[in-house]
Each structure stands twice: as C-alpha cells, then as structure tokens.
Amino acid sequence: MRKFFQELKADLKFKTAGPGQKLSEPSRAPREEPRAETAPRPRRGPTDEAQMAAAAALARMELKAKAPPSREAARSRVRKELMAEAAASEEGLSLEEKDLTCLDKDGAAALSVSGVYFLCPLTGAVVRKDQKERHLREAIQSYFSVDPVAASIMEIHTFNKDRQKVRAGVETVAKYLDNIYLHPEEEKYWKIKLQNKVFQERISCLEGIHRFFQAIGFEKKTLPAPGQGKESKQTTEEYYVLKEEMLTKLEDLKDYKEQLLSSEPMRAQLDRQPSVFKPSPEAALFELPNDFYNLSAEEIKREQRLRTEAVEKASMLRTRAMREKEEQREMRKYNYTLLRVRFPDGYILQGTFYARESVSVLYAFVREALRDDWLPFELLGPGGLKLTDENLAFNECGLVPAALLTLAWDAAVMADVQAAGEEQSASPLKPELLSKAQTLS
C-alpha cells in the first residue's frame, strides 16, 4: 500500500509542474505484479454480402486477366445473336408481344416506355407503330363515305411510295382534266383509252387512281375501236368516259385537279407520349422496346456483316476519321430516341422523338410543359454540355437511343423575379401534367 501512495505522489508532482519548470519522468520502482491487461475483442468474420462482393470482384479480375476471345469465337457469338433476332422476327408476334415475352423470360426491369406511338391525322386515334399502316388504310377506306374524291387522292399520295412515279402520274391526269376544262365542246377529250401506252405506264400502275376517276365522274365503258372498216372484224376497247352531267360542273373538275396536284402523303404524326415522373435516382436508367431500334427483318444480314467487320477491326489501329464514321453508322441504327429532362426540383419530363429531329424541337416540347412558358432556360446534356446549337439533330449530339438532360434557369432572370417579390409556384410544370406524375420503377 505504501508503494502505491509513493507512485501516486510522484505522478501528481509530475503533472503539476509550474511554468518554466521542466517536466521529468518520475522514477518508478519496478512493480512486483503487473496489472492485468484487457483481453482483445474477437474479430468478426466477413458477412455473407461482403463475401459475395469479394467473390464477384475476384471473378472480374480473373476475366480481365484472361486473353481476349478468338476472332472465330466472337464471330460465332455474333452469328448466334443474329439468328436469335431473325427467329424472333419470323415468329409472327407483334413488337409489343415480343417485348413482353422477353421480359417474362429474362425477368428484366419494366420498360421505360411501352412503345412508339403515332397520331392518325384523320381519326385522331393514337396507335402503336406496328399498327400504323393498317390503321391509315382503314381510316382512308372509311373516309370514302364522307368524301370519295379526297379519299382517293389520299390513297394515291399515301400508298404509292415512289414519289417520282406519283408526280408523273398526277401531272398526266391533270393534263386530261385541263383538256376537258379548256375544250368542253370537243368529245375526244371526254374519253380516256385504258389501253393507251401512256395511261398504262404512268397512271394505271398507281394505287387509288381508278377510284379517283370514278369519284370525279368518269365511268368505265366498252366502246368499238375507232378506224375499222366495214368488212373488218369488230373489236372493242375499254375507256373512261366522263358523264354528261359533269360538263356542267367544270369548276369542280378544275378544283379536283388542283387537289390532286397539291396534296401530300398522309403521314401519322409521332406522338410524344409526354410523361412526368417524381424525383428518382433511377432517372438515368432506360429499358427500351424494340420499336426504338432500326433493325427490321431484312436488315439482319446487313447487321451481321457490320458486326463481323467490327470484330475484325477490333485489333486494328483506327484513325479519328474511321472512328467518327463508325459512330455515325452506329447512330443510324436508331429511328427514335427517348429523352428525359430533369428540373431543378427533381421532377422529370419525358418524351419520344425522332432520332434525326433537331434540338429545337426538344426546347419547344419543354416550353409547352411549363406553367410560365416565357421563362428562359437552357438544357444540359450528359456531362453538363450545353445544347446551344438547336439546329443539330439528336443523333449528332449523341442523344440516342435515350438520354437524361438537365434544365437550368437563366440566373439573371430568376434573380429579377425573386427581387420583384413574385410568388413562385411549387413546380414549374403545368398542373395537369403534375397531377399524372408517376414513379419510376
């Protein structure tokens, strides 16, 4: 006990040395029995999650260490992928059904958008991409009961894809109608010989042209062939003959001619499918359906050739021009792009666009969604790059097949708004859009 008090006294003397005094280590006599040390805590083993993460990291390191696959193995893999794509295109399933089938089998995440949709200008209906052509045909067919002339003109311009042939055909028909309008007293202009070479080569081949002639007042008749002698065998030929009552409606014929010449193909308009999502960390994650990719059944062989070339060039040194050419070719694979714009409050505006549309279209789309559309803003692409050139196409900016952009307000204008004491709404988006805000899954 005495020894314990001596040590305590020495410690106090050491700790309470006055200013200017040098502290020195007190001399302590060796202790007879050392103090017992606290036993260290046993180390806990790694958790199951940590072990799985470590195993995955080791596997990745091993894969990186392995030599790259042989060229033949890469070709074989590409060939298998393309065969699978071709088989899927020949199953007869719609694009939507194939997407859902893939999701069921692979257990993939939900699609960011269910597909690409179009708005029919004739009916106002919104239809999926793979149903667009059929719907247009049905809509035009139904319109015959409303305006047969307009419906037949729609057929001619919409379903004949060769625009040069269409132009040549309608200009020839316009000449026929001009002759009738300018010379109504001459009967030779009332008749059009169906077996005429010009009629056969330029007009008869056009879909919808015969319904047009019938709609504007022509009827098909079989007449004796002209220039036959009395002793020769009587032959007949088919003609389109203008009905007599139409001679009193020459102004109508002139109007039909103008409609035929000035009309354009009826095209279904791409529906933006505007959507608003609540703030989410998954805004940059996209799962796109097949509609967004420009891979039709007839392009499978071409895609195989391109992929094979890519494998062969993988080990070659490429110039900058070669790389840019390959990037442009890669961008042409996409017909559409899904774009999201994140607002300062975290809300996300989404829309579908053509890959070759200009950036100005996106600015207009965002402005239409704003509560106050006069507020100036700018859009920042991935990496914070400002999209200042609104004439550039989305695929030229690398915004295909999907991208997340950020909206930034004009700082000076917003400062003026705050200085004026104007009350700011909770969100800059229109209330009707906010009321339908969804949650990204």
Side-chain angles (χ1 to χ4, degrees), residues 17-167:
Q21 296 181 351
K22 185 177 180 181
L23 300 179
S24 59
E25 286 288 337
S27 58
R28 297 180 181 179
R31 300 177 182 178
E32 295 178 357
E33 294 181 0
R35 296 179 181 177
E37 297 182 359
T38 305
R41 296 181 180 179
R43 293 186 61 185
R44 297 177 60 185
T47 63
D48 293 341
E49 292 79 2
Q51 293 181 14
M52 293 174 64
L58 288 174
R60 287 194 297 270
M61 293 175 64
E62 291 176 357
L63 287 175
K64 289 182 179 180
K66 290 182 180 179
S70 65
R71 184 177 300 177
E72 187 60 33
R75 287 180 179 177
S76 177
R77 179 177 57 80
V78 170
R79 194 177 299 112
K80 289 180 180 179
E81 291 178 1
L82 292 169
M83 289 176 65
E85 291 174 358
S89 66
E90 294 174 359
E91 285 179 357
L93 296 175
S94 68
L95 292 174
E96 185 174 16
E97 290 170 338
K98 278 188 268 186
D99 290 335
L100 294 176
T101 302
C102 293
L103 290 176
D104 291 340
K105 290 182 179 179
D106 302 335
L111 293 174
S112 301
V113 63
S114 59
V116 176
Y117 291 84
F118 289 84
L119 178 67
C120 176
L122 202 57
T123 64
V126 176
V127 296
R128 196 179 163 94
K129 175 188 172 184
D130 55 347
Q131 301 170 353
K132 178 182 61 173
E133 293 299 327
R134 184 181 66 183
H135 180 84
L136 282 177
R137 284 191 175 275
E138 293 175 351
I140 292 176
Q141 181 63 36
S142 299
Y143 200 69
F144 269 94
S145 61
V146 178
D147 189 340
V149 176
S152 61
I153 292 175
M154 290 178 195
E155 276 192 323
I156 294 169
H157 285 279
T158 303
F159 301 128
N160 295 287
K161 303 304 180 183
D162 191 328
R163 300 305 303 160
Q164 291 184 349
K165 285 186 176 180
V166 172
R167 178 55 53 189

Side-chain angles (χ1 to χ4, degrees), residues 47 188 259 265 292 303 336-337 339 346 392 419:
T47 63
K188 65 178 182 179
Q259 289 183 45
F292 278 75
E303 185 66 15
Y336 312 96
T337 183
L339 299 179
L392 287 177

Side-chain angles (χ1 to χ4, degrees), residues 195-395:
Q195 296 304 316
N196 180 279
K197 183 179 180 181
V198 173
F199 187 90
Q200 286 292 318
E201 292 179 353
R202 296 187 183 181
I203 301 176
S204 186
C205 59
L206 298 179
E207 181 177 352
I209 198 70
H210 294 284
R211 303 180 79 172
F212 172 75
F213 277 110
Q214 295 167 9
I216 65 174
F218 282 86
E219 56 184 349
K220 189 177 292 187
K221 287 186 177 182
T222 303
L223 302 175
Q228 298 183 84
K230 295 181 179 180
E231 297 180 357
S232 61
K233 185 178 180 181
Q234 189 75 15
T235 59
T236 58
E237 293 176 336
E238 283 191 316
Y239 290 83
Y240 271 135
V241 181
L242 187 66
K243 297 176 182 178
E244 289 187 11
E245 59 265 28
M246 291 305 299
L247 294 175
T248 62
K249 303 177 182 179
L250 294 178
E251 290 301 322
D252 290 347
L253 284 180
K254 183 181 179 181
D255 184 56
Y256 299 153
K257 181 203 73 173
E258 296 300 331
Q259 289 183 45
L260 182 64
L261 288 173
S262 61
S263 293
E264 295 291 334
M266 190 178 73
R267 297 283 184 253
Q269 302 168 1
L270 179 65
D271 191 75
R272 302 292 184 201
Q273 293 285 295
S275 302
V276 172
F277 297 100
K278 298 175 182 178
S280 170
E282 299 180 353
L285 302 179
F286 295 88
E287 289 290 340
L288 300 177
N290 293 338
D291 289 3
F292 278 75
Y293 300 92
N294 190 22
L295 278 179
S296 59
E298 60 271 15
E299 292 173 323
I300 294 295
K301 291 183 179 180
R302 174 179 174 273
E303 185 66 15
Q304 182 178 9
R305 176 176 58 80
L306 295 179
R307 290 191 187 181
T308 303
E309 290 176 0
V311 172
E312 293 175 348
K313 292 178 180 178
S315 59
M316 295 171 55
L317 293 176
R318 292 171 293 172
T319 64
R320 180 179 178 181
M322 293 172 64
R323 290 195 300 270
E324 290 178 351
K325 185 177 180 180
E326 290 182 9
E327 289 174 0
Q328 290 295 324
R329 186 172 64 186
E330 187 73 16
M331 289 179 183
R332 285 196 295 269
K333 293 180 183 178
Y334 308 110
N335 284 333
Y336 312 96
T337 183
L338 186 68
L339 299 179
R340 289 174 179 167
V341 177
R342 180 158 49 196
F343 285 74
D345 61 358
Y347 275 82
I348 301 158
L349 176 65
Q350 175 180 284
T352 302
F353 302 85
Y354 285 110
R356 293 174 178 82
E357 284 188 280
S358 63
V359 173
S360 61
V361 175
L362 178 60
Y363 272 90
F365 173 74
V366 173
R367 190 164 283 109
E368 289 176 3
L370 294 178
R371 187 192 301 260
D372 299 316
D373 58 3
W374 59 270
L375 287 173
F377 62 89
E378 59 185 5
L379 297 176
L380 310 179
L385 181 65
K386 293 183 180 180
L387 300 179
T388 55
D389 189 349
E390 297 187 22
N391 294 320
L392 287 177
F394 295 126
N395 57 1

